[in-house]
């Protein structure tokens, strides 16, 4: 029974009409797994991939709340519990106006592979709402989070499903969500991660995704006999993930020359300073979702309206904002400007054609490998909560660094093609095997 990519995709497309992002994420995985599946027919025989593309459960619910003007607002909330073969569902919540079922499913599907790569016992899930936090007051965000949790609480739990942050959901939102969960359930457990340090959060969790992606980049460079010191770097976004990456890059002596927002990007001629890194937090906290004020604050910084950070000449690009934020034209522009490496840090940050081009042309890491440090430290937060203890920053940092090295080694093991490493293939095969074997062992459930 040979595995046929197009036949498989025709079925998935018929089952999930119009779910563009989900189908994009599935196709990438299926294409990289095809040869492997044909070499290991038991996975085809047990229809493991057919089962993996079907979420175990997808919940959609009404989230009513009242804004500061006393007007009633209605949003749609989601939790997609994708795969629990290797552990309780685990994955973030995204609050963004574009959130829909397709986005939740693509993120939950990717999360299953990513969580498997971390080697920790975490299944895959994702959730969120089409709520736009931009410009909302703290009180509005709190009321929204409380209403969201008033439905979500019945579907989650420390041994069932453990949500965390994602785009639009940071420490503030997790605090409000946790408070409401605790109030309803009367349980103080590690049911959410990314919590404040005072109530069970882990040191290094805020930095983890950004630090992890830079560690991953260091391993990629080492593979090519190079180091990160002195490299010029363009980042997109200025949220939590971009902040963590910038912090580690500056510490390691790389030159961060661009960060971006929906309004354009700022070009930082002499490279970002530690003060610039700290200011990224103020920018995010201002809740305006614009990067332009960075140029007013620091000398030698120019704001380029309406353009992406990929216009800046750099050695390494880290997309850290949103899916499909780097397209084929951007990829070609980066390469023409001498870029040697793209480290996808947002989930599915590059379009499918950009990924194919980059994999063939320069070094490219997919988000499910490079950005796994965030969820990995969430897993470590769960362990600390379960033991009722907290580890030192050094202990968590060392574990994160070890996990990122393991993920890199897995990508090399399964992605080696001659003298090149296909990190997309390596991450997909490496993430697949553990989940697939667990599913076979557990029977048809
Ligand atoms: N949202 C992050 C991700 O995409 C973190 C998830 C988590 O910590 O559970 O992996």
């Amino acid at each position: 029974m040979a595995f046929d990519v197009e036949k498989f995709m025709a079925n998935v497309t018929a089952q999930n009409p119009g779910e563009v992002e989900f189908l994009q994420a599935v196709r990438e995985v299926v294409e990289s797994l095809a040869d492997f599946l044909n070499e290991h027919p038991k996975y085809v025989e047990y229809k493991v991939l057919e089962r993996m593309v079907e979420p175990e459960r997808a919940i959609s619910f009404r989230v009513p709340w009242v804004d500061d003007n006393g007007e009633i607002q209605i949003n749609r909330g989601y939790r997609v519990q994708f795969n629990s073969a290797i552990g309780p569902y685990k994955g973030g919540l995204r609050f963004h106006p574009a959130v829909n079922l397709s986005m939740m499913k693509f993120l939950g599907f990717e999360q299953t592979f990513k969580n498997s790569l971390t080697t920790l016992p975490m299944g895959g899930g994702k959730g969120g709402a089409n709520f736009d936090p931009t410009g909302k007051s703290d009180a509005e965000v709190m009321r929204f989070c409380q209403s969201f949790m008033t439905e979500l609480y019945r579907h989650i739990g420390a041994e069932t499903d453990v949500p965390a942050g994602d785009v639009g959901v940071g420490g503030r939102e997790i605090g409000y969500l946790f408070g409401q969960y605790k109030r309803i359930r009367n349980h103080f457990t590690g049911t959410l991660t990314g919590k404040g340090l005072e109530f069970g959060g882990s040191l290094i969790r805020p930095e983890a995704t950004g630090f992890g992606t830079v560690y991953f980049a260091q391993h990629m460079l080492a593979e090519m006999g190079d180091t990160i010191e002195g490299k010029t770097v363009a980042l997109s976004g200025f949220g939590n993930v971009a902040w963590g990456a910038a912090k580690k890059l500056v510490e390691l002596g790389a030159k961060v020359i661009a960060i971006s927002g929906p309004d354009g990007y700022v070009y930082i001629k002499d490279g970002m300073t530690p003060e610039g890194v700290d200011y990224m937090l103020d920018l995010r906290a201002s809740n305006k979702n614009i990067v332009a004020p960075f140029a007013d604050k620091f000398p030698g910084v120019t704001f380029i309206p309406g353009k992406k950070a990929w216009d800046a000449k750099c050695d390494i690009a880290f997309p850290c904002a949103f899916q499909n934020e780097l397209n084929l034209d951007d990829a070609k522009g980066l390469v023409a400007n001498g870029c040697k490496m793209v480290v996808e840090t947002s989930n599915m940050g590059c379009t499918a054609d950009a990924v194919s081009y980059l994999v063939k042309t320069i070094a490219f890491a997919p988000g499910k490998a490079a950005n796994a440090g965030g969820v990995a430290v969430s897993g470590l937060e769960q362990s600390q909560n379960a033991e009722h203890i907290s580890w030192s920053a050094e202990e968590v940092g060392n574990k994160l660094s070890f996990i990122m090295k393991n993920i890199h080694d897995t990508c090399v093991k399964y992605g080696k093609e001659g003298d090149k490493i296909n990190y997309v293939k390596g991450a997909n095969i490496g993430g697949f095997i553990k989940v697939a074997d667990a599913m076979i062992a557990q029977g048809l459930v």
Side-chain angles (χ1 to χ4, degrees):
M1 196 165 29
F3 182 79
D4 180 333
V5 171
E6 291 315 320
K7 201 166 146 211
F8 183 93
M9 283 312 301
N11 279 331
V12 185
T13 307
Q15 290 298 315
N16 304 278
E19 295 187 359
V20 184
E21 296 92 347
F22 176 57
L23 294 170
Q24 179 185 342
V26 172
R27 178 173 279 280
E28 183 212 276
V29 167
V30 171
E31 285 180 351
S32 8
L33 282 174
D35 291 344
F36 177 81
L37 293 178
N38 282 323
E39 286 155 22
H40 301 84
K42 74 169 174 182
Y43 298 119
V44 182
E45 198 183 312
Y46 281 97
K47 298 208 174 170
V48 176
L49 208 49
E50 284 84 344
R51 286 193 265 155
M52 275 175 87
V53 296
E54 193 62 39
E56 290 176 15
R57 198 172 293 105
I59 303 142
S60 146
F61 52 94
R62 178 169 67 206
V63 189
W65 58 284
V66 178
D67 70 17
D68 285 348
N69 299 320
E71 194 179 323
I72 293 172
Q73 302 286 343
I74 319 287
N75 287 101
R76 186 173 296 168
Y78 299 93
R79 187 72 184 166
V80 178
Q81 299 181 328
F82 226 103
N83 194 303
S84 63
I86 62 166
Y89 309 105
K90 179 84 196 89
L93 297 170
R94 177 174 289 193
F95 291 170
H96 188 280
V99 162
N100 58 24
L101 186 61
S102 166
M103 200 193 290
M104 298 287 95
K105 282 171 67 178
F106 114 66
L107 289 163
F109 182 69
E110 292 250 317
Q111 197 84 43
T112 304
F113 290 78
K114 181 192 327 195
N115 294 1
S116 165
L117 284 169
T118 66
T119 69
L120 301 177
M122 302 184 291
K126 203 83 186 191
N130 61 348
F131 169 77
D132 186 358
T134 311
K136 300 286 190 301
S137 69
D138 272 1
E140 288 176 319
V141 170
M142 182 182 74
R143 287 194 294 274
F144 177 80
C145 288
Q146 291 181 337
S147 180
F148 184 86
M149 186 51 85
T150 303
E151 172 59 33
L152 186 69
Y153 87 92
R154 65 185 94 245
H155 307 290
I156 61 174
E159 307 297 340
T160 311
D161 183 355
V162 183
D166 195 81
V167 175
V169 178
R172 173 181 62 165
E173 291 75 15
I174 293 294
Y176 295 147
L177 291 162
F178 180 77
Q180 184 73 346
Y181 179 81
K182 179 167 63 67
R183 184 186 193 190
I184 299 174
R185 277 276 160 107
N186 200 17
H187 279 177
F188 196 115
T189 58
T191 300
L192 288 138
T193 59
K195 300 184 289 299
L197 286 178
E198 309 80 4
F199 51 98
S202 175
L203 288 162
I204 310 289
R205 178 61 190 90
E207 295 90 342
T209 312
F211 279 19
T213 200
V214 176
Y215 295 151
F216 197 88
Q218 283 185 293
H219 291 302
M220 292 172 78
L221 286 161
E223 204 61 42
M224 301 184 279
D226 207 345
T227 68
I228 206 142
E229 209 188 329
K231 295 283 178 299
T232 51
V233 174
L235 299 173
S236 61
F238 60 89
N240 174 259
V241 173
W243 164 76
K247 191 172 155 120
K248 186 51 81 183
L249 286 162
V250 170
E251 193 184 303
L252 294 173
K255 201 169 153 193
V256 178
I257 48 99
I259 59 169
S260 70
D263 53 334
Y265 80 94
V266 290
Y267 180 70
I268 313 163
K269 189 164 52 74
D270 297 324
M272 193 179 291
T273 58
E275 293 72 35
V277 175
D278 292 343
Y279 185 65
M280 288 171 81
L281 292 176
D282 296 345
L283 263 188
R284 178 158 196 261
S286 76
N287 217 7
K288 293 200 184 100
N289 209 14
I290 48 171
V291 78
F294 195 98
D296 306 328
K297 176 90 181 162
F298 297 100
V301 179
T302 323
F303 174 59
I304 295 115
K307 295 277 181 206
K308 298 186 192 175
W310 321 134
D311 277 15
K313 183 175 160 51
C314 64
D315 298 317
I316 311 176
F318 286 80
C320 296
F322 214 59
Q323 72 261 10
N324 294 328
E325 55 172 310
L326 195 157
N327 63 29
L328 181 60
D329 287 343
D330 299 325
K332 286 185 172 165
L334 279 166
V335 172
N337 267 334
C339 177
K340 301 276 180 313
M341 206 160 99
V342 173
V343 186
E344 198 182 52
T345 306
S346 41
N347 292 310
M348 207 166 76
C350 300
T351 58
D353 50 3
V355 173
S356 310
Y357 169 76
L358 289 168
V359 165
K360 276 186 257 140
T361 319
I362 56 173
F364 173 78
K368 59 170 83 75
N371 77 24
V375 74
V377 174
S378 276
L380 302 179
E381 184 172 326
Q382 287 179 264
S383 305
Q384 294 170 76
N385 293 164
E387 286 186 75
H388 301 283
I389 51 166
S390 34
W391 298 333
S392 66
E394 194 189 358
E395 195 164 355
V396 179
N398 288 342
K399 285 186 161 69
L400 169 63
S401 154
F402 180 72
I403 289 170
M404 294 316 296
K405 179 171 182 339
N406 268 337
I407 298 175
H408 184 268
D409 289 350
T410 302
C411 291
V412 173
K413 179 169 172 193
Y414 294 108
K416 206 148 181 86
E417 288 178 340
D419 57 356
K420 274 201 79 171
I421 297 152
N422 183 336
Y423 285 90
V424 174
K425 184 172 151 198
N428 286 330
I429 298 177
F432 172 80
I433 294 174
K434 184 177 168 191
V435 178
D437 289 345
M439 286 175 76
I440 293 174
Q442 290 170 29
L444 282 179
V445 292

